[in-house]
Amino acid sequence: MTNVEERPSVLVVDDEPRILDSIRDLLSENFDVVATSDPLAALEILNGAQFAVILADQRMPGLTGDQFLVRAQNLSDATRILVTGYTDIDALIRAVNDGQIHTYVPKPWEPAQLRVTVLKAADHCRETLRRKEAASRLAEQQAALARSEAAFRQQTKLLQSILDSMGDGVLVVDENGKMVLLNPAAEAMVGRAAFETPHSAWSESIGIYRPGTGTLYPPEELPLSRAMRGETADGVELHVRNPRHAGDLFVSVNLRPLKDDDGRSRGGVAVAHDITGRRRTQELLQRAKEEAERANRAKSEFLSRMSHELRTPLNSILGFAQLLEMTSLPSDDAEAVAQILKGGRHLLSLINEVLDVARIEAGRLSLSPEPVHLPEVIQEALDLVRPLALERSITITGLSGNSDFWVKADRQRLRQVLLNLLANGVKYNVDGGRIAVAVDPNGYGAIRTTVSDTGPGIAAEEREKLFLPFERLTGESLAVEGTGLGLALSKGLVEAMGGVIGVDSTVGKGSTFWFDLMAAESPAALHPELEGLAGADSGEAAARSVLVLYIEDNPANMALMKRLTETRPGVQLIGAPQARLGLDLARVHRPDLILLDLHLPDMSGHEVLEQLRRDPDTGTIPVVVVSADATPEQVDRLLDSGAQSYVTKPIDIGSMLGLLDSVLSDPIENRLPTANRSDAG
Ligand code: ADP
């Protein structure tokens, strides 16, 4: 049927067809009218459609009007009207009051009144439906609310049990700084008093300090104060000290602001993690580390002192033994002196190694890393061990293929490492065995040098140990003379030069010791401007002729200086690769200028400078220090000892030539600019 809201439907039930017709005529202007004379058929109709009004005659065969309407009440929301005579008025009024029917229309009806009654009844039905719908909507909303309340309770319970079981403390304040939540872990840290104490008084009342200072935490810096200001931070450390804890408590706090959907601040939350145990372990570790470092320093200091003390008497032993050796002695005595010298020299090398290891451990080893031509140094080391190898018929294969590499190293120390590895290759080899030396770039900017032998090899578990001081392999190799210091020293030296050292080995076949050092450019390649410099280009300066002595052990630096001086025809360069030779040459030739490297094989440059200054023959010759070591302390020390100037490596060609030119052109007393400390530093 039609919608009650638009054109309502009316069901008319009356056993008299004439009445049915007249009612239909009366109502059809406003309503869709369905008429039937059979009340049972009317019930069927109600099952399948919606009506706004039902009009039923009281007297019908089979089912009376009121009986019909009572049953219709269960099937439809329509307003029910009984059409009847006045005979049973009391029963009718009861039916109206009980709600079985809405109203009644007396017979015979007044057509206008019937129409008005039905129109009102339709309104009533509309109203009833609206109320019913509102009620059902309300019921639905209430059910949804009840469901969400249950879910919320469930959620709260879950959160509560998480908070209760958490080891970390959770603290929440509202926007006024009032404590609103403390889980049990937080309560154990700060106590329930936190609920009563204003947040600004927390540091004092709870005992919150800045770790390691003993000063109270400024209230405005407390994590919750910061969170309330909208800050976020992790790992803020606090020190809590109060009677609740037997010892001190350290916590690490993460803090977050709390905001509502509109971004307004609603307070802050802090999660505090107890780090007391971790801190204590750290402190213990730190103390143990400091203790170990102190002990290690003490040991190195002791070793270093002892070595110095031992060297003085040893000097006399070796010195006098050498004097004795020169005299003609009976052969037994000569043999005894030879033994004293052998033992003494062994002791001296041992002391030197101990001293070096101690220096490395104390971080006091002074190195002069500069570009070093690797094949040259390898050749020098090979020349030194060849006689040893020959004694045991060991063949040494030197470098083959392209080995023209430069590395960043201290030349003397690099040679020392190579000597150690090569000497071991001989010492721990079979008679008639082989040693091979090779160099190879590793592709990552480093050059690897390897020394392989055909000795007994080293088991994997022993390999790392051998690089520790005084560690030696047990078994056969113990019969070989040694101190167990060579590899420790080599490791210290390689690492001090920025490299790494290691060993690969197959037991029964041999070992390969290797070390990697950073590749470097050759000094000549660093100074392409030299190529363009022709000789004799400073006509005026060439009028004089000066002699320059360069005391330097690194051939590459020497070669560079030679190229440089060749551009000044007035300058003659003589070189000394050792300090002592340099001192002798200075005395004999009295050069106009001495260029002095600091790291020399037999003596420090500083000592050379002092000897030059002390000697009246050389005391006035200007000395220019040329070194890679340009720490301000070092520069000051040398200038104070009488150096005229300080040039840092890599050499700046322009200033070096300027220096030579000033020597060439100026009278001797003011040849050189006075040393400028800030230049060198
Ligand atoms: P030293 O040779 O004075 O004992 P090192 O520190 O040079 O001290 O070597 C430590 C130990 O490592 C040696 O005693 C030896 O047992 C073992 N070792 C060193 N080089 C080799 C090698 N090439 N082959 C086998 N063992 C070696």
Side-chain angles (χ1 to χ4, degrees), residues 528-541:
E529 69 268 37
L530 266 182
E531 298 299 332
L533 287 178
D537 65 344
S538 66
E540 198 192 318

Side-chain angles (χ1 to χ4, degrees), residues 590-594 611-623 642 644 668-669 671-672:
R590 307 233 190 137
D592 297 272
L593 172 68
I594 297 175
Q611 289 204 23
L612 285 170
R613 285 286 161 267
R614 270 202 303 273
D615 190 330
D617 288 341
T618 57
T620 55
I621 305 175
V623 175
Q644 197 86 13
I668 193 152
E669 52 276 12
R671 248 170 214 165
L672 291 176

Side-chain angles (χ1 to χ4, degrees), residues 449-460:
T449 306
T450 52
V451 177
S452 314
D453 63 49
T454 50
I458 304 160

Side-chain angles (χ1 to χ4, degrees), residues 353 420-421 424-429 451 453 455-458 466-468 470-474 477-478 480-490 503 505 510-513:
E353 283 182 348
N420 267 319
L421 300 186
N424 282 350
V426 175
K427 284 193 323 188
Y428 305 103
N429 212 329
V451 177
D453 63 49
I458 304 160
L466 295 183
F467 292 97
L468 298 174
F470 305 108
E471 288 287 348
R472 307 195 67 205
L473 284 187
T474 48
S477 73
L478 262 192
V480 181
E481 203 174 84
T483 58
L485 282 172
L487 287 180
L489 191 56
S490 302
V503 59
S505 181
S511 314
T512 298
F513 281 85

